[in-house]
Amino acid sequence: MARIFALRLLTTLVTLLGVAVIVFVVIRVVPGDPIAMMLPPGATEADIARLRTLYGLDKSIGGQFVIWFGNVLQGDFGSSITARQPVLTLVLGRLPATLELSLLALLMAVLIGGTLGVTGTRLRGTRAEAGIDVANGIGLSVPDFLWGLALIVLFGVVWPLFPISGRVSPRLELPFSTNFYLIESILRLRFDLTRNLLAHMLMPALALALPLAAIISQLLKQSLKETVNLDYAVLARTRGYSERHVILSEALPNAALPTLTLIGVQFTFLMGGTIIIERLFSYEGLGNMAIDAVITRDLPLIQGIVLLFALLFTLVNLVVDMAYVLLNPKLRHA
Amino acid sequence: MLDGRGALRRRAGLRLWLSAGWQAVVMLAALFAPWLAPHDPLAQDLMLGRLPPFWLPGTEPGYWLGTDSLGRDVLSRLIHGARVALIVALVAGTATCLIGSTLGLIAGFYRGWTDRIIGRLVDIWMAFPPVLFAILLIAVLGTGLSSVVIAIIVIDWTRFCRVVRAEALNQSQMDYVHSARVAGFSRPRTLMAEILPNVLPVIVALLTLEMGIAVIVEAILSFVNLSVSTDRPTWGGMIAEGRIAIHHVWWVLAFPLAALFLTVLSFAQLGEGLRDRFDPVLR
Amino acid sequence: MSAFLEIRGLSAVLRGTDLRLLRSVDIDVPVGTVRGLVGESGAGKSMIGRAVLGVLPRAVEIVEGEILLDGRDLLAMPPVARRRLIGARTAMIPQDPLTALNPSRRIGRQITDRLVDILGWEPARARSRTLEMLAEVRIPEPERVLRLYPHELSGGMRQRILIASAFVAEPELIVADEPTTALDVTVQKQILGLISELQARHGTALLFVTHDLGVVAKICDSLSVLYAGKVVEDTTVARFFEAPAHPYSAALLAATPRHTDPASSLKPVPPAVMHAVGAEIAAADRSWRPRHG
C-alpha cells in the first residue's frame, strides 16, 4: 500500500511541475511588456531597468523560470498590481468563501443525487424511475452556468424567494475573525447570520450542485440496480430484511465505491464552475476575483489564483485516490 | 415490459426529431438573419427602451419579444446572436474533435512513451479550471472570434483525448486488430481501417456534445465581455445586459437563456441518438 | 400430518405476457425430509425455490396457486408478515459462495446481525451460537474467521460459512439452490456430506434444487422432475432409480454419466421423448385459464 501511495505522490509532483511550467509560459508570452503595465506613466529607462532586474527579466527564460518557481515554492506570488497587496494575502482571504460554496454545493449534490439514486432503485421498473431518468438526462446536459441563470429568473425575479447577489446582506454587522463566515457563524451560535449566509449561498450552490447530482444519481442507480440482484442481497431478503434495508445497508456500501471515485473527479469540475457562478451571483470569492484580475490584466494575481486552483484540484484528486485505496477492503491489504 | 421498450424507442425517436428541428431553426436564423430579423439588432431608440414581450401590457407592435434598456429589439438580437453561436459550435467543436481524437487515437493505439507523454499532458490539463483557463487565454490572445475558438480547443481537447484513447486501447486489444497486423497491414493502415471505424460512434457522440459545450463557453466569455466585439449581438452578451438590469428587463436574459437551454439539450439528445443509431452493437 | 411446505397449483408467467414459466406446480416437503428438484437449466427449479423464499425476480409474476408454510399461505399474507415468517422459519443455501457474501462486511456480522436485528437475540447469545455453528461445519479458528472479510477465504470455506449461516437459527426449512455446482469436485463431496449430516442432525426439511441426479441419489428422500415449468414426475428416490414412470425421467436418467457403465451413459434425450413431453404440456396449456391474469 505504501508503494501505491509513494507512486501516486510522485505523479502528483510531476503534474504540479507541469502546471507551473504552463502557467509561466502563458503569463510570460502575454503580448506587451508586463513591466510597462506595472509602471506609472512617465517612468524613466532606469526605473524600467531596475524593475527588470528586480523581477529577474534580464535573465534567460530558463533562469527566469527557476527564480519564479523558487519564489512560488516559498509562497511568494508577487504583489497584485491593482490592489497593491501581496497576492498570497488576497488569495487566501478569498479562498474560504469559495471553499464554503463548493463544499455546500458538494453536500447538496450528494444529498440530491443520493436520494434520487436510492429512490430510483426502490422504484425500479415504474414510471417514477423513468421520470428520474429524464431528470438525470437534463441535469447532465445542462451546465451550471445555465442552471444559475434559470434560478436567478425563477427565484430572484418571478418568485423572489432568495437574494441573487453577494455573500451576505451588506447591512449586517459581522463579528467574524476568519473568512469562513458560514462555519464561524455556526460555531458562534449566530444562527441569524447562518440563515442569511445560507440564503445567499443556496442558489449558487444549487446551480453548481445540479449537474453533479444528476451524475451521482445516474451512476449510483446503475450500480445499485446491479448490486440489489446479487446473491448476498437476495439472501438478506430471505432473512427477513426489508427492501429499504437491503438497498441501504447491503447494496449501498458496495455500490457507492465507483460513485465515490467519480465524485472526487467531478468535485474539481464543480470547483472550476465556481468561477463563473460566483460572477453570476456577485459572490465575493476567488472566481469573481479571478475574472476581475483578468479584466484589469493583474497578471501576478491571475497567476496566483490559477496556481492555487491547480494545487487544490491536484490535492483533491490525490486524496480521492488514496481514499479509494483505503475504502476498498481488497486493496487495503495489498 | 416488451411493449414499454417499444414506447421508449418511439419517445427517443421523437426527442431526436425535436432536437433536429431546433437545430434547423438555429441554423436558418443564423443563415438568414438579416432577412428574418424584423429590426436592426444594433439600432438604439431610447424612446422604445424596456418594452416587454408581446403578452404583457405596454408593448409596441412589431417588437415581439420586447426591447432592452437601449431600445434594441430582443428578437432581432436573438436571431443575429445565433450566428456567433453556430460558428463557434461548428468550427470550435470540429477542430477540438479533430485534435483531441487524433491525440487519443495515437496514445491508445501506439501506447508506450507517446501514450505516457500525452497522458501526463492530460493530467496537467485536468488541474486547470477550464473557465479560468479560457478567460486567461483570451486575456493573453486578445478578444475576437478566433481567440474564442482557440481557447475552446485548448481547454477541451482533453475531453476527446481521454475517451478516444480508452476506446482505441480497448479496440487495439481485440482479435481482429491482431489478425490485421498478422496479415501484414502497416500500423497506420490498421489504425485508420480497423480501429477508427469502431471508435467513430463515440467520437460522433462526443462531437455533438462538444458543440453544445462550445456554445456555452462562448456565452460565458461573452457574459464576462471577453468574446467577440460588443457591436456583434451574442446570446451571452444579451444575458450579461439582462443580468445587470434583471429587475427591469428580465426578458433580455430569459430569451437567450431559453435559446441556450434548447441548444445544449438538443445537441446532447442528438449525440445520444446518433450514438445509438451508429453503434453496430446496439443497432 | 400435512407437509411443512406445500406448494399447490403454482403458476407463474413472464410479467405482462402469457408466457408460462411455472405450470400448476404441486410439491410437498414433509417435516425433516429432503425433496430434490431436478430438471434441465431453464426448467424452473430455481424459480420454485425463489418463490418459496419470496425473492422472485420482478419479471416473474405468480398468477395462481398457494405456497403453504406450516399451513399458512405465504401468497395471501401481507408482505411484511410474509417477510418475517420466511426470515424466522426458513433459510437458503445459495449457489455461488463467491457472490453470496457481502464483500464489504466482516464474516461475523453477516451471520449474527440478522439473529439480533430480525430474531431479536441478545448479541452475546448470537455470537456464542455462531461460534458453535462454525465449529459444527468444521471451520478452524472460528474466532479469527469472524473478523475476516469474504475475500480472505477460499470458495469451500465460504460455502461452509453460508451453510453455518443457514442452520444457525434452527430453521424448519432450508432451500438449497445448487449449493455445490460452483465448487471443485473434491470440495463438492465434502460440502454435500456436510449438508446431509447437518440436515439429519437438526431434522430440517430441505428443498434441494439440482441438475445432478448423482447428488439426488446421495441426499434426497423424494424428488420432483421438472420440464418447462411442469412437474412431470413426483416420486421417491428409491422408486425413481429403480423404474422412472415418465419417459422424460427415464431419458434424463439415461443421460446421467455412470461410472459402472460408461458406454451407456451420456445419451441425449431422444427426440421422440422431447416431442411427447412437449405435446403433453401444450395439451395442459390449452385447458388452463389463469384465475386472475
Side-chain angles (χ1 to χ4, degrees):
Chain A
M1 197 159 74
R3 235 183 74 91
I4 301 178
F5 281 179
L7 209 67
R8 189 62 188 74
L9 212 59
L10 197 71
T11 55
T12 303
L13 291 178
V14 174
T15 305
L16 283 176
L17 184 68
V19 166
V21 170
I22 289 184
V23 170
F24 180 80
V25 168
V26 172
I27 302 280
R28 289 295 157 103
V29 296
V30 178
D33 192 341
I35 294 296
M37 290 194 297
M38 292 184 202
L39 287 170
T44 61
E45 287 292 320
D47 289 339
I48 295 176
R50 228 184 11 257
L51 264 183
R52 282 192 170 283
T53 324
L54 182 67
Y55 281 87
L57 291 181
D58 49 348
K59 302 243 170 40
S60 69
I61 282 286
Q64 284 183 37
F65 178 75
V66 171
I67 295 171
W68 174 83
F69 194 56
N71 289 340
V72 165
L73 284 184
Q74 290 165 28
D76 178 6
F77 295 85
S79 279
S80 157
I81 295 164
T82 45
R84 308 213 173 264
Q85 281 184 50
V87 165
L88 195 66
T89 318
L90 288 172
V91 166
L92 290 183
R94 285 288 185 100
L95 180 64
T98 299
L99 279 183
E100 283 189 344
L101 182 63
S102 316
L103 289 173
L104 181 67
L106 179 68
L107 183 72
M108 289 168 74
V110 170
L111 286 180
I112 299 171
T115 310
L116 283 180
V118 168
T119 313
T121 311
R122 275 191 79 175
L123 302 175
R124 56 192 180 278
T126 65
R127 277 170 190 277
E129 193 205 358
I132 289 177
D133 284 343
V134 170
N136 283 345
I138 295 175
L140 276 171
S141 27
V142 174
D144 43 18
F145 178 60
L146 296 190
W147 286 126
L149 288 165
L151 289 172
I152 285 179
V153 173
L154 276 180
F155 300 113
V157 180
V158 177
W159 191 21
L161 285 179
F162 299 103
I164 53 173
S165 292
R167 187 180 182 195
V168 67
S169 296
R171 295 170 278 104
L172 290 174
E173 288 277 323
L174 300 177
F176 302 133
S177 52
T178 69
N179 284 333
F180 287 99
Y181 289 177
L182 186 66
I183 296 171
E184 216 184 318
S185 74
I186 296 169
L187 292 180
R188 285 175 187 265
L189 307 178
R190 287 291 307 273
F191 297 124
D192 54 324
L193 293 179
T194 312
R195 256 184 76 118
N196 189 282
L197 285 161
L198 279 178
H200 280 84
M201 290 167 85
L202 196 69
M203 286 208 295
L206 188 60
L208 289 166
L210 283 179
L212 180 55
I215 297 174
I216 291 175
S217 159
Q218 194 184 45
L219 186 72
L220 186 65
K221 183 158 77 73
Q222 189 186 329
S223 40
L224 272 177
K225 277 172 81 174
E226 282 164 22
T227 314
V228 290
N229 286 327
L230 292 181
D231 285 355
Y232 61 81
V234 173
L235 210 53
R237 279 185 208 111
T238 69
R239 286 172 179 165
Y241 284 108
S242 64
E243 187 64 23
R244 194 184 129 89
H245 177 97
V246 170
I247 293 176
L248 291 180
S249 303
E250 296 283 341
L252 193 59
N254 296 299
L257 202 57
T259 314
L260 278 181
T261 347
L262 183 99
I263 289 176
V265 180
Q266 295 288 330
F267 181 53
T268 62
F269 294 157
L270 185 151
M271 287 184 77
T274 59
I275 290 160
I276 195 66
I277 289 298
E278 286 181 4
R279 189 72 180 178
L280 203 52
F281 288 90
S282 313
Y283 183 88
E284 296 102 23
L286 268 182
N288 214 345
M289 185 191 242
I291 292 177
D292 281 334
V294 171
I295 291 170
T296 57
R297 302 181 73 81
D298 190 341
L299 293 181
L301 187 54
I302 300 172
Q303 176 183 294
I305 296 173
V306 172
L307 284 174
L308 183 67
F309 265 107
L311 184 69
L312 280 176
F313 281 21
T314 346
L315 286 183
V316 168
N317 282 333
L318 184 70
V319 168
V320 170
D321 283 2
M322 295 196 169
Y324 182 77
V325 174
L326 286 177
L327 282 175
N328 192 336
K330 285 185 194 170
L331 286 177
R332 191 160 38 198
H333 301 280
Chain B
M1 201 169 104
L2 301 169
D3 294 338
R5 193 162 299 172
L8 216 66
R9 269 194 96 104
R10 274 198 300 281
R11 214 174 306 155
L14 180 69
R15 284 209 304 259
L16 202 58
W17 281 112
L18 285 178
S19 306
W22 173 254
Q23 311 261 332
V25 168
V26 172
M27 206 169 294
L28 288 177
L31 285 176
F32 303 109
W35 294 277
L36 287 173
H39 298 274
D40 177 353
L42 301 175
Q44 304 182 6
D45 185 347
L46 293 180
M47 299 303 289
L48 291 171
R50 297 185 177 175
L51 291 177
F54 67 89
W55 66 87
L56 292 175
T59 52
E60 197 70 32
Y63 293 90
W64 293 102
L65 301 184
T67 60
D68 64 12
S69 303
L70 298 173
R72 293 174 297 192
D73 179 38
V74 169
L75 179 60
S76 303
R77 290 177 71 72
L78 202 59
I79 292 173
H80 279 267
R83 295 194 141 183
V84 171
L86 193 72
I87 294 172
V88 168
L90 292 179
V91 179
T94 313
T96 311
C97 171
L98 281 178
I99 294 171
S101 304
T102 308
L103 288 173
L105 273 177
I106 292 173
F109 182 63
Y110 287 96
R111 277 172 273 178
W113 59 267
T114 11
D115 185 25
R116 242 168 288 155
I117 290 175
I118 292 174
R120 187 71 31 227
L121 266 182
V122 171
D123 275 356
I124 292 170
W125 244 255
M126 301 294 285
F128 289 103
V131 171
L132 185 55
F133 205 176
I135 290 171
L136 180 61
L137 284 169
I138 301 286
V140 171
L141 299 169
T143 55
L145 200 53
S146 54
S147 300
V148 172
V149 169
I150 292 174
I152 291 172
I153 297 172
V154 170
I155 62 169
D156 256 359
W157 64 274
T158 52
R159 188 191 311 275
F160 288 88
C161 188
R162 277 181 301 154
V163 177
V164 172
R165 177 194 169 273
E167 197 69 13
L169 187 68
N170 217 348
Q171 294 290 340
S172 67
Q173 282 154 354
M174 301 270 179
D175 279 343
Y176 69 86
V177 174
H178 292 307
S179 24
R181 294 283 293 136
V182 171
F185 290 117
S186 69
R187 296 197 359 148
R189 195 199 167 282
T190 311
L191 181 60
M192 296 311 288
E194 305 288 341
I195 304 227
L196 185 59
N198 285 292
V199 183
L200 213 51
V202 177
I203 294 181
V204 170
L206 272 181
L207 172 62
T208 49
L209 208 63
E210 180 64 34
M211 287 181 173
I213 292 167
V215 171
I216 293 296
V217 174
E218 193 283 320
I220 288 176
L221 291 172
S222 288
F223 178 74
V224 295
N225 205 4
L226 281 171
S227 179
V228 297
S229 72
T230 40
D231 54 0
R232 240 169 131 172
T234 59
W235 294 346
M238 293 173 77
I239 287 173
E241 292 155 18
R243 173 68 181 91
I244 293 167
I246 183 80
H247 293 291
H248 306 291
V249 286
W250 56 265
W251 51 89
V252 177
L253 189 155
F255 291 116
L257 172 62
L260 281 173
F261 247 99
L262 289 175
T263 307
V264 170
L265 277 178
S266 65
F267 273 124
Q269 290 296 329
L270 208 61
E272 228 166 85
L274 286 176
R275 191 191 50 206
D276 291 352
R277 195 146 296 183
F278 283 127
D279 194 320
V281 182
L282 282 175
R283 191 174 46 190
Chain C
M1 178 197 147
S2 69
F4 183 72
L5 171 70
E6 284 178 63
I7 300 175
R8 292 280 162 266
L10 188 69
S11 291
V13 297
L14 186 64
R15 196 176 290 277
T17 70
D18 288 336
L19 192 64
R20 292 180 80 184
L21 301 171
L22 294 178
R23 301 164 197 267
S24 306
V25 169
D26 295 305
I27 289 172
D28 282 353
V29 187
V31 174
T33 64
V34 183
R35 158 77 68 174
L37 211 50
V38 298
E40 298 166 72
S41 46
K45 330 182 276 282
S46 294
M47 209 180 295
I48 293 172
R50 286 181 152 237
V52 170
L53 296 171
V55 285
L56 278 175
R58 273 161 202 257
V60 181
E61 185 185 5
I62 292 176
V63 285
E64 64 176 10
E66 294 172 332
I67 300 175
L68 303 168
L69 198 68
D70 200 16
R72 295 163 73 187
D73 184 6
L74 291 176
L75 300 178
M77 290 172 84
V80 175
R82 171 171 57 197
R83 214 169 63 212
R84 294 261 163 77
L85 183 70
I86 291 170
R89 306 190 62 178
T90 74
M92 178 186 189
I93 303 175
Q95 173 170 11
D96 186 355
L98 297 184
T99 58
L101 287 165
N102 191 328
S104 65
R105 301 175 61 210
R106 293 177 199 274
I107 298 292
R109 296 289 299 271
Q110 298 202 42
I111 307 176
T112 57
D113 267 4
R114 154 260 185 160
L115 300 176
V116 178
D117 297 348
I118 305 290
L119 305 179
W121 294 18
E122 289 296 315
R125 179 182 164 217
R127 187 179 149 82
S128 65
R129 172 72 188 129
T130 301
L131 286 171
E132 222 174 274
M133 201 62 230
L134 288 182
E136 207 177 327
V137 296
R138 291 188 281 277
I139 282 177
E141 300 181 79
E143 294 266 3
R144 191 180 71 88
V145 169
L146 286 187
R147 290 191 303 272
L148 296 180
Y149 285 94
H151 68 91
E152 297 171 279
L153 295 167
S154 70
M157 286 291 272
R158 285 189 233 185
Q159 193 58 297
R160 279 170 197 270
I161 281 162
L162 287 163
I163 291 167
S165 175
F167 280 95
V168 71
E170 301 285 357
E172 286 142 288
L173 171 75
I174 288 178
V175 176
D177 186 1
E178 308 238 15
T180 57
T181 310
L183 302 171
D184 291 341
V185 181
T186 48
V187 184
Q188 270 183 17
K189 266 193 172 161
Q190 296 170 10
I191 294 294
L192 201 61
L194 188 64
I195 294 175
S196 179
E197 177 194 327
L198 290 174
Q199 184 272 329
R201 190 183 308 146
H202 294 262
T204 320
L206 199 56
L207 184 63
F208 201 102
V209 175
T210 181
H211 62 273
D212 186 345
L213 286 175
V215 169
V216 172
K218 279 201 193 74
I219 194 169
C220 297
D221 304 310
S222 59
L223 83 163
S224 302
V225 181
L226 272 165
Y227 180 83
K230 184 179 165 57
V231 178
V232 294
E233 181 157 8
D234 178 346
T235 177
T236 65
V237 167
R239 225 178 299 147
F240 178 82
F241 283 97
E242 210 169 281
H246 195 277
Y248 177 74
S249 307
L252 206 62
L253 194 56
T256 306
R258 252 165 297 177
H259 299 294
T260 48
D261 186 10
S264 72
S265 64
L266 287 177
K267 277 188 221 149
V269 178
V273 174
M274 298 297 284
H275 190 79
V277 74
E280 188 183 324
I281 282 166
D285 273 3
R286 270 194 294 280
S287 61
W288 179 75
R289 284 283 170 276
R291 264 186 307 197
H292 45 267

